[in-house]
Amino acid sequence: DASGRNPIIFSTLISRERMRELAEDEGFLAHLNRIREQYQEQVLDPVDENRSEADRLENDAVAYFSMEFGIHESIPQFAGGLGILAGDHLKAASDMKLPIVGIGLFYRSGYFNQYLNHDGWQQESFPEIDIFHLPMKRATDKEGREVRLSIPGPDGDIKLTVWKIKVG
């Protein structure tokens, strides 16, 4: 709970001493190996019975445009139903090995969190997102340069940087 279910933050909350203990715990290591094997089988080497690689063209891709994608609760880039649906589409496409690219906006402050104050009134907070705790990185071109774009706008150029999150 302290990590907000973010695996990157979670890993920083485990002490070195505890990591050393786990590295020598045979029961933990056996369980970890089972998880690794399941991951290998289900994610890295899945059997795609529906389509063969020959059915897909090498450079085919579907662009999925959405204002928000609910990929995981630790990536607060969604407000509700449609964002969750868009995230589910990306995850299902990944599971099926379909060539899809989700294109959306990154909200530095994310969406607001709702809570009840001591008097029972609904309140909102707008937490700023620490991008270094998210499983994303800047997209690069074939030469390793960051992908940056400039689009003409009504009040001058709109400049943007492309970030990448791998789903699945």
Side-chain angles (χ1 to χ4, degrees):
D1 286 342
S3 69
R5 293 175 177 69
N6 182 321
I8 296 172
I9 296 173
F10 177 77
S11 66
T12 67
L13 299 175
I14 303 170
S15 69
R16 287 184 182 178
E17 180 180 304
R18 181 66 178 139
M19 289 288 220
R20 285 188 198 108
E21 289 172 6
L22 292 172
E24 297 175 6
D25 182 328
E26 290 182 26
F28 174 79
L29 293 174
H31 180 66
L32 184 63
N33 194 44
R34 284 191 302 274
I35 298 296
R36 182 182 296 117
E37 288 171 1
Q38 288 176 355
Y39 178 76
Q40 179 75 33
E41 181 181 302
Q42 295 175 13
V43 177
L44 299 181
D45 299 327
V47 176
D48 184 355
E49 298 172 5
N50 298 322
R51 294 178 74 189
S52 70
E53 288 298 319
D55 291 339
R56 296 191 189 111
L57 296 175
E58 186 174 321
N59 294 315
D60 275 358
V62 173
Y64 188 144
F65 292 88
S66 180
M67 294 297 287
E68 55 187 69
F69 291 96
I71 298 168
H72 187 266
E73 63 189 290
S74 67
I75 307 171
Q77 295 293 305
F78 60 96
L82 292 178
I84 298 296
L85 180 63
D88 286 349
H89 286 153
L90 291 183
K91 291 183 277 188
S94 174
D95 290 347
M96 296 173 65
K97 298 290 187 202
L98 297 174
I100 190 168
V101 176
I103 301 171
L105 298 175
F106 175 71
Y107 301 96
R108 182 64 185 243
S109 294
Y111 287 94
F112 62 87
N113 294 328
Q114 294 177 328
Y115 64 94
L116 298 177
N117 68 15
H118 294 297
D119 298 322
W121 289 95
Q122 178 180 305
Q123 300 290 300
E124 297 83 27
S125 65
F126 296 86
E128 186 164 323
I129 297 169
D130 184 347
I131 60 173
F132 299 106
H133 287 156
L134 295 179
M136 61 185 228
K137 60 183 179 178
R138 292 178 190 247
T140 56
D141 62 18
K142 291 179 182 179
E143 286 78 38
R145 296 180 303 242
E146 291 180 357
V147 177
R148 295 175 183 259
L149 303 169
S150 182
I151 301 169
D155 295 323
D157 287 347
I158 301 169
K159 298 180 187 281
L160 52 119
T161 300
V162 178
W163 290 81
K164 179 168 59 172
I165 298 175
K166 288 192 173 189
V167 178

